[in-house]
Amino acid sequence: QVQLVESGGGLVQPGGSLRLSCAASGFTLDRYVIGWFRQAPGKEREGVSCISSRDGNTYYADSVKGRFTISRDNPKNTVYLQMNSLKPEDTAVYYCATVGRFRRDWMRYPEVWGQGTLVTVSS
């Protein structure tokens, strides 16, 4: 059973930080491109960040560049999204997924999805 499980969401004040986790079971994450997506109420899903399978190269959406960092911990079979300087517009359900292509349009190729974790940025 291939499965991805997100965790780490919650309520945080503007300017605060959260670290989201994407834990894999049934496969080894270090063989896969992993992306983080988000969907806010009433808005389309967007790609947030993506990390390559081997060399750790990354893509970031312009809206989060400089604030968010994606990383891998391969022994834990986990990918993280460190989110700093959070803004109310970051409020969304965040999903991780395997991604079929590591290139500029990576967000078009999600494969296996996690269930999502809610991030709410509000004072």
Side-chain angles (χ1 to χ4, degrees):
Q1 179 81 17
V2 176
Q3 188 176 28
L4 293 171
V5 178
E6 302 95 332
S7 62
L11 175 64
V12 64
Q13 293 184 341
S17 298
L18 285 174
R19 188 178 73 165
L20 305 184
S21 298
C22 175
S25 63
F27 65 100
T28 302
L29 267 186
D30 64 3
R31 298 286 187 176
Y32 291 86
V33 179
I34 300 296
W36 283 97
F37 301 79
R38 67 185 182 186
Q39 188 163 25
K43 296 185 178 180
E44 295 183 1
R45 186 184 68 207
E46 63 175 331
V48 176
S49 185
C50 182
I51 187 165
S52 65
S53 59
R54 293 185 178 181
D55 56 16
N57 289 339
T58 58
Y59 287 108
Y60 293 95
D62 288 341
S63 58
V64 307
K65 195 172 299 181
R67 299 189 297 122
F68 291 12
T69 303
I70 191 170
S71 63
R72 291 181 178 269
D73 187 339
N74 289 332
K76 294 184 178 179
N77 218 25
T78 300
V79 170
Y80 301 101
L81 185 68
Q82 178 67 46
M83 305 186 296
N84 298 326
S85 302
L86 283 162
K87 304 174 181 179
E89 51 263 45
D90 295 318
T91 296
V93 177
Y94 284 72
Y95 302 88
C96 66
T98 63
V99 173
R101 299 187 185 186
F102 185 74
R103 63 186 206 185
R104 288 179 296 174
D105 62 344
W106 61 269
M107 69 291 300
R108 297 175 60 190
Y109 305 100
E111 297 176 331
V112 178
W113 290 93
Q115 86 292 343
T117 186
L118 176 63
V119 172
T120 302
V121 184
S122 177
S123 59

